[in-house]
Every structure is written in structure tokens, then in C-alpha cells.
Amino acid sequence: MAWDLIFWVVCFFINIALLASSFYQLLSLSDLEADHLNPFEASTRINSIVLPEFLLQGFLCISFLLTWHWFMFLFTLPIAAYHLMLYLNRKHLLDVTEIFRDLNTEKKYRFIKLAVYLLLFTVVLFRLVISAFNSLHDEVDVHAF
């Protein structure tokens, strides 16, 4: 039962990293729109964290599959598949010359990802609390006998 708790703690921290990454990308795009950043700085900042985000999301999706958490796997599969499609088509990085043309689309995409990660955060936090309660409850039962 302790392994389940450890799994959900790891998922919780991965989800926090994904939330922070998505929020940082959205903030960089908003700074670019408000003319606080130039296009090169904004695209460099976003492009530097895109691949680690894709890897973390893929790891999270695969870990749900390998631990038989089907609902969580099916919940994270569409965004992982979309990330894979972007990577295979080489459209995962922002182009400095076309960033203003794609700004609204990129912001909408990041808002959707942020919403998905927030929903995932809620479910993971709920599962973490349940797992901690079950782990403590089982520990009390073992010491009672």
C-alpha cells in the first residue's frame, strides 16, 4: 500500500511541474503580446521547456498505463498523443518569425493545456489523499493486532 502512496506523490510533483511549465509558457506569450518581451526571447524561453514538458507528460501517461490506472491513462492519452503528433511533424517549437501570426492560437492551446492539467491536478490530489488515508488506516490496523 505504501507503493501506491509513493506513486501518487510522484504523480503530484510531476503534475505540479506540468502546471508550472504551462503557466510559464502562457505568461511568456502574454508578455510578448504586451510587448514586454521580444519574439526571440519569448520563443527561446518557451522552446527550452517544450521538450521536457512533452517527456514528463509521456512518462506520466505511460506510468498510468503500467500501473493499471485506466481512467487516468485515458484522461492523459489525448494530450500525450497530440504532443507526439506535434513532435513527429516538427511543429512543437515556436518559430521566431511567425510567432505573432500564431500568438492567439498558441495562447488558446496553452489555456486548454492549463485547464487539462488543473483537472488532472484535482484528480491526482484526490487520489493522493485517498491513498494517504488508506495507507495510514492500514498501518493502524497492523499495529492494533
Side-chain angles (χ1 to χ4, degrees):
M1 191 56 77
W3 290 109
D4 194 41
L5 179 61
I6 292 170
F7 172 75
W8 288 111
V9 168
V10 169
C11 289
F12 176 77
F13 286 115
I14 289 175
N15 197 352
I16 294 268
L18 290 172
L19 272 170
S21 170
S22 185
F23 184 72
Y24 180 73
Q25 291 174 29
L26 192 58
L27 189 65
S28 294
L29 288 172
S30 295
D31 284 348
L32 176 67
E33 187 177 36
D35 210 22
H36 295 294
L37 286 177
N38 65 36
F40 179 76
E41 288 177 1
S43 62
T44 302
R45 287 181 181 186
I46 293 172
N47 288 342
S48 66
I49 61 173
V50 165
L51 196 58
E53 178 193 0
F54 284 12
L55 291 174
L56 273 177
Q57 173 64 29
F59 174 76
L60 192 64
C61 186
I62 289 173
S63 66
F64 287 141
L65 175 66
L66 295 177
T67 56
W68 296 73
H69 292 97
W70 295 109
F71 173 74
M72 298 299 290
F73 168 70
L74 292 175
F75 184 72
T76 57
L77 184 63
I79 198 162
Y82 185 70
H83 285 167
L84 183 64
M85 182 193 70
L86 285 177
Y87 182 76
L88 292 177
N89 291 336
R90 301 215 177 259
K91 294 182 180 180
H92 61 289
L93 299 177
L94 290 178
D95 187 13
V96 177
T97 60
E98 296 181 1
I99 194 166
F100 281 114
R101 185 174 59 99
D102 299 334
L103 188 62
N104 288 331
T105 306
E106 291 294 330
K107 281 180 67 174
K108 286 178 189 174
Y109 166 62
R110 262 82 179 175
F111 269 123
I112 291 170
K113 276 195 339 186
L114 187 65
V116 168
Y117 289 152
L118 280 172
L119 188 59
L120 182 66
F121 176 78
T122 305
V123 175
V124 167
L125 185 63
F126 181 74
R127 294 296 304 259
L128 176 65
V129 169
I130 288 175
S131 180
F133 178 76
N134 287 340
S135 180
L136 289 173
H137 188 265
D138 290 343
E139 186 176 305
V140 169
D141 286 345
V142 169
H143 292 304
F145 294 109

